[in-house]
Amino acid sequence: MLRTDSETYEPLLRQVELGDVWGVGRRLVERLALMDVHSAWDLAQADPKQIRQRFSVTLERTCLELKGIPCIEMNDPGEARQRIMTSRSFGKMTDSREEVHQAIRQFAQRSAEKLRGQDSLARAVYVFLKTNRHRPDLPQYSPSAVVELPCPTDDSRDILLAASQAFAAIYRPRYRFMKAGVMLVDLVDANRAQLSLLDTPESQAQRERSDRLMATLDALNHRMGRGTVTFGRASPKAAWQLRCANRTPRWTTRWDELPQLR
């Protein structure tokens, strides 16, 4: 990390062209040139308040960072997340209860997989649905619900059950949904989870069987590809599936997409 009081600080910033600074594009370079700002050093010497007024808060933060004032949080990739969410906008709106329920189940399984990946347990499951707010001609309904789990867990079956209960509580017919999501909240470290005073040897044995089952499930999906083994199979043509109309052919991983010579 370069310190602002080091001898190399000013010479190095003078050598860095403004277009090489992260977040400064070609148009910004042209506009900043009118203010006689041509290098990273010039931007570091500029007035942050003036930069914010004339451009944006993002460029103001860049200016402050060049001055040595931290404004952008650095996230540790190894740090466990406090919440895990899986959500997606549908390929098209749907009012089919079965299709929306399929989406919730798929999102719950994916969230549980992420949960196990960071060695955490969840205490509750949050589920939400959304209609298309850009369609004022359609009735709007964006509900959500939280279901607490009996005990902290990373078992996909328990999470699926809670997600289904939340979905049943908030789903209403005659609404066309455009987005849904599942969030695992109130996470705890799996190695530090507090056990219940009501635990029995049978409870411990059941947890061990659950851990072995989930480990086998994750190992198979890692080796054979995500979604190889799931709890229930979703319809590939369901409305909630992404359309992917402009996706590049997957020649190296899909037999049915290999190029054909005629």
Side-chain angles (χ1 to χ4, degrees), residues 188-233:
V188 295
D189 190 342
N191 299 319
R192 300 179 182 177
Q194 184 174 359
L195 301 179
S196 171
L197 294 174
L198 302 178
D199 273 357
T200 63
E202 290 77 11
S203 302
Q204 178 62 26
Q206 185 176 359
R207 275 196 299 271
E208 292 175 355
R209 287 195 298 270
S210 170
D211 291 342
R212 289 195 298 270
L213 175 61
M214 293 301 108
T216 302
L217 180 72
D218 292 339
L220 287 172
N221 285 327
H222 179 73
R223 183 185 306 171
M224 308 299 293
R226 183 183 298 168
T228 301
V229 182
T230 62
F231 294 93
R233 180 64 60 181

Side-chain angles (χ1 to χ4, degrees), residues 18-26 28-29 32 43 56 58-59 62:
L18 195 57
D20 294 333
V21 177
W22 180 82
V24 181
R26 179 177 58 82
L28 275 179
V29 170
L32 287 166
L43 183 58
S56 66
T58 302
L59 190 60
T62 302

